[in-house]
């Protein structure tokens, strides 16, 4: 059966593009919509060019919070489109707790570090400046914290020879594109259970 998946973006949309193109090329039994809190997000044009329906959340205020109106809109989108997974891909808003509770194990995020290290919006910079040799990326379920939910998959990236932050970001981004798609396939193909913080696949 075809699963309906929403990808939420705020800007560039390279993770979104990679997910859309890889899924199309592999004929995954999925149908996507793309949702953005930013009408100027570059990713919207990319999605439209690929032929994917896009929805813009209207009147988003500045900052991390979603308005109650937008939260209701997201709930409506999930129900109306029968969405089984929401993949946050550079969506720079916090999903309200009540939405996460209404749709358990539905919201998934990608973060550009090996969590729980380097949470927050400057993850690659923080890792590079800390001097870690191995950083990476994490796909995790969203909980009510920021970058704290149960981990689905991680991929390490050796940034020891990167000469600046941009290079480290690029190396990590390449890994993100691979990891997010692997995680999507895993979520679609395998049963899982969450025990405490641990996501266990295979039953
Ligand atoms: C990605 O690096 C993603 O991991 C990060 O924003 C970037 C979006 O790029 N997300 C976060 O930092 C969330 N905490 P993209 O729009 O090209 O996919």
């Amino acid at each position: 059966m075809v699963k309906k998946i929403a990808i939420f973006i705020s800007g560039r949309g390279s993770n979104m593009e990679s997910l859309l193109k890889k899924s199309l090329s592999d004929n995954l039994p999925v149908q996507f919509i793309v949702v953005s809190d930013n009408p100027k997000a570059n990713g919207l044009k990319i999605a439209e060019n690929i032929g994917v329906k896009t929805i813009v959340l209207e009147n988003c205020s500045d900052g991390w919070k979603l308005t109650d109106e937008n939260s209701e809109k997201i709930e409506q989108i999930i129900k109306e489109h029968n969405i089984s997974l929401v993949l946050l891909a550079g969506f720079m808003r916090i999903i309200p707790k009540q939405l996460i509770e209404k749709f358990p194990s539905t919201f998934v995020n990608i973060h550009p570090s090996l969590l729980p290290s380097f949470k927050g919006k400057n993850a690659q910079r923080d890792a590079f400046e800390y001097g870690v040799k191995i950083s990476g990326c994490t796909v995790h379920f969203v909980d009510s914290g920021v970058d704290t939910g149960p981990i689905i998959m991680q991929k390490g990236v050796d940034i020891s020879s990167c000469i600046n932050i941009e290079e480290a970001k690029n190396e990590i981004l390449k890994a993100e594109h691979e990891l997010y798609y692997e995680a999507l396939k895993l979520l679609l193909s395998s049963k899982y259970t969450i025990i405490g913080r641990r996501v266990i696949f295979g039953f």
Side-chain angles (χ1 to χ4, degrees):
M1 204 179 74
V2 171
K3 291 241 172 148
K4 302 280 208 67
I5 294 171
I7 305 179
F8 280 29
I9 60 166
S10 294
R12 180 177 57 185
S14 74
N15 274 289
M16 173 215 74
E17 181 175 12
S18 150
L19 285 166
L20 295 178
K21 288 188 170 164
K22 288 183 164 86
S23 304
L24 262 176
S25 129
D26 286 353
N27 273 321
L28 273 199
V30 288
Q31 193 183 339
F32 290 101
I33 59 168
V34 168
V35 176
S36 178
D37 61 332
N38 171 13
K40 296 189 181 136
N42 188 51
L44 286 172
K45 285 184 228 136
I46 299 172
E48 280 155 18
N49 285 339
I50 296 175
V52 171
K53 180 183 171 59
T54 60
I55 299 171
V56 174
L57 301 173
E58 305 289 343
N59 305 322
C60 277
S61 53
D62 288 342
W64 293 92
K65 280 196 80 177
L66 281 168
T67 59
D68 289 347
E69 190 194 320
N70 278 316
S71 193
E72 280 161 27
K73 177 76 182 167
I74 292 174
E75 179 171 348
Q76 187 197 328
I77 291 169
I78 292 175
K79 287 181 177 160
E80 225 171 67
H81 293 267
N82 201 16
I83 297 293
S84 51
L85 275 178
V86 174
L87 305 179
L88 308 183
F91 185 68
M92 295 310 193
R93 302 269 173 179
I94 293 168
I95 302 295
K97 192 168 181 237
Q98 61 273 27
L99 263 185
I100 296 164
E101 285 171 355
K102 235 173 227 166
F103 303 103
S105 304
T106 300
F107 289 90
V108 171
N109 184 40
I110 186 154
H111 182 75
S113 77
L114 289 178
L115 290 171
S117 292
F118 307 113
K119 300 184 177 97
K121 70 180 164 81
N122 295 314
Q124 307 97 318
R125 171 183 298 271
D126 293 345
F128 182 80
E129 286 178 350
Y130 194 92
V132 298
K133 304 297 183 201
I134 307 290
S135 188
C137 45
T138 302
V139 174
H140 64 93
F141 285 113
V142 175
D143 67 6
S144 57
V146 176
D147 305 326
T148 52
I151 291 169
I152 297 165
M153 279 181 106
Q154 291 185 298
K155 191 172 176 72
V157 177
D158 184 342
I159 58 166
S160 62
S161 58
C162 293
I163 53 166
N164 55 36
I165 293 163
E166 282 317 305
E167 204 176 312
K169 276 186 170 176
N170 284 340
E171 288 307 308
I172 293 169
L173 190 64
K174 279 191 248 162
E176 288 184 52
H177 294 168
E178 285 172 26
L179 185 73
Y180 219 172
Y181 187 57
E182 287 310 310
L184 170 61
K185 286 193 293 185
L186 186 62
L187 288 168
L188 291 173
S189 64
S190 178
K191 287 192 169 53
Y192 54 84
T193 181
I194 304 178
I195 300 174
R197 290 198 42 85
R198 302 184 62 235
V199 184
I200 300 164
F201 284 91
F203 63 99

